[in-house]
């Protein structure tokens, strides 16, 4: 519990910066809130599913070891018997394990996507304004010159 709070505390600023950037990028490209949220969903969903598969596999691996010590057999929920599905689950597990190892990248990305979703909803309700920052006259002259 404390580790989760520390992770949230450490990664919140980076997550918020990424979430605001992502929400500002989605706003002009998609007309409705539904389209923005759907455009935001695929990659974080992929990361979350891969992470869940890796966590389930690790838990089953520990249970399988305990069952072997007791002399019992244990079946895996991730063993489907279908070669293609087993291959996809293995790839998802590998990617999820890599993601768990590189949580410094994965956690801010997932939190940032959640923050972007919240910001998009708040912007749609006119509680905040996600307009891009205005460019000052000094910035325009330095870009032109």
């Amino acid at each position: 519990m404390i580790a989760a709070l520390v992770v949230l505390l450490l990664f919140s600023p980076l997550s918020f910066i990424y979430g605001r950037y992502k929400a500002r990028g989605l706003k002009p490209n998609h007309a409705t809130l539904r389209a923005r949220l759907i455009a935001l969903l695929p990659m974080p969903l992929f990361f979350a599913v891969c992470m869940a598969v890796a966590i389930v596999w690790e838990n089953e691996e520990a249970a399988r070891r305990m069952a072997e010590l007791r002399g019992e057999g244990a079946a895996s929920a991730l063993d489907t018997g279908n070669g293609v599905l087993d291959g996809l689950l293995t790839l998802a597990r590998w990617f999820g394990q890599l993601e768990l190892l590189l949580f410094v990248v994965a956690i801010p990305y997932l939190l940032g996507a959640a923050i972007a979703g919240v910001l998009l909803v708040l912007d749609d309700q006119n509680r905040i304004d996600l307009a891009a920052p205005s460019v000052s006259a000094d910035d325009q002259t330095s870009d032109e010159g």
Side-chain angles (χ1 to χ4, degrees):
M1 180 69 175
I2 292 177
L5 291 174
V6 169
V7 165
L8 284 175
L9 198 70
L10 288 176
F11 295 132
S12 291
L14 184 60
S15 299
F16 183 78
I17 291 168
Y18 172 73
R20 186 183 63 191
Y21 169 77
K22 188 71 173 172
R24 283 182 174 175
L26 287 172
K27 185 178 178 185
N29 296 334
H30 301 283
T32 64
L33 174 64
R34 182 177 177 174
R36 291 177 196 147
L37 292 176
I38 289 173
L40 181 66
L41 188 63
M43 283 307 288
L45 184 63
F46 173 74
F47 281 139
V49 167
C50 289
M51 190 181 298
V53 168
I55 290 171
V56 166
W57 187 83
E58 289 294 330
N59 287 339
E60 284 189 349
E61 183 70 22
R64 194 170 24 249
R65 286 183 191 144
M66 290 300 292
E68 287 175 2
L69 289 175
R70 284 183 262 144
E72 301 170 356
S76 173
L78 297 178
D79 187 20
T80 63
N82 183 341
V84 174
L85 279 177
D86 286 344
L88 289 175
L89 286 172
T90 300
L91 288 174
R93 177 178 53 94
W94 289 342
F95 190 78
Q97 288 173 336
L98 180 64
E99 183 181 351
L100 288 170
L101 288 173
L102 300 174
F103 71 95
V104 174
V105 176
I107 298 298
Y109 178 75
L110 291 174
L111 289 175
I115 289 171
V118 169
L119 291 174
L120 287 170
V121 169
L122 290 175
D123 181 61
D124 190 59
Q125 295 175 351
N126 292 325
R127 294 187 181 197
I128 62 170
D129 185 24
L130 279 178
S134 61
V135 179
S136 66
D138 292 336
D139 291 338
Q140 287 179 350
T141 57
S142 65
D143 289 342
E144 294 172 0

